[in-house]
Amino acid sequence: MSPPPIQIAHPGWLTLDGREFATDGDKIRLAIDLARKNVLRETGGPFGAAIFPVDGRRPVAVGTNGVPRLHNSVAHAEPVAIMAAEAFLDTESLHGHELFVSAEPCAMCLGAIGWAGLERVVYAALREDVERIGFDEGPVFAGSYEYLVERGVAFVRGLHRDEGAAVLDLYVEHGGPIYNG
């Protein structure tokens, strides 16, 4: 008997429309908007991500959290975006690229960021905002960040935090499941 196929797919509504995003603020708002749409369309958790070339204006890939939709505990927005970017670029390394995320990465996603070779990560909502609604972010320590920074990953924390946290609250208001709390 063959094992079942593994499929990670974007929700049907998700498209890249060719728009340009000039600033970090524009790029983080894209990730937040993806998270908001994911909540409103009930296609996953309240998290969105976008990967851009460093200093680029167009995303090479985006991702939304598909954990409940795909029944896949690792289908977080960051790994989905990383897999999509690597497939699009036909590579296993994202050196020269940066990640914009609606909320601070969990322990698993920090690992994926390091393995992918991303150079910069910008996120909106903070760990405490995510944990406040009941999600468990796993074993993330100061040393987790120190390890990545030593390997060349830069972090910008809390850019448009209130907007990112508002999506988390929207998720709770819509009765979204806390699947790892």
Side-chain angles (χ1 to χ4, degrees):
M1 180 166 112
S2 297
I6 299 168
Q7 297 180 334
I8 303 293
H10 293 299
W13 57 263
L14 198 151
T15 61
L16 289 175
D17 60 13
R19 283 184 295 152
E20 291 192 0
F21 301 85
T23 68
D24 282 358
D26 295 336
K27 294 171 186 178
I28 197 69
R29 284 193 173 107
L30 169 61
I32 294 167
D33 187 51
L34 290 166
R36 183 181 303 106
K37 286 178 180 174
N38 211 34
V39 170
L40 294 174
R41 295 170 188 252
E42 298 180 349
T43 51
F47 307 101
I51 296 178
F52 288 81
V54 171
D55 297 324
R57 292 175 172 254
R58 288 194 176 144
V60 296
V62 297
T64 58
N65 176 288
V67 171
R69 177 176 53 84
L70 299 170
H71 306 291
N72 185 319
S73 62
V74 298
H76 292 200
E78 298 94 328
V80 170
I82 288 168
M83 287 185 279
E86 290 173 344
F88 177 75
L89 297 168
D90 194 28
T91 184
E92 68 286 343
S93 174
L94 294 176
H95 291 287
H97 291 82
E98 53 191 359
L99 173 68
F100 291 80
V101 193
S102 64
E104 185 169 355
C106 70
M108 177 186 70
C109 294
L110 281 174
I113 288 163
W115 289 122
L118 288 156
E119 293 186 13
R120 186 166 171 254
V121 178
V122 180
Y123 57 85
L126 302 182
R127 176 186 175 111
E128 53 262 32
D129 300 321
V130 176
E131 290 178 339
R132 174 182 50 80
I133 68 165
F135 281 104
D136 180 353
E137 293 298 272
V140 177
F141 310 104
S144 305
Y145 282 98
E146 292 165 7
Y147 177 89
L148 291 170
V149 168
E150 287 172 5
R151 281 149 185 82
V153 182
F155 289 90
V156 176
R157 296 170 167 89
L159 182 63
H160 297 295
R161 176 184 180 185
D162 292 343
E163 293 175 42
V167 174
L168 300 171
D169 294 334
L170 181 68
Y171 186 68
V172 171
E173 291 168 18
H174 279 248
I178 305 300
Y179 42 80
N180 77 341

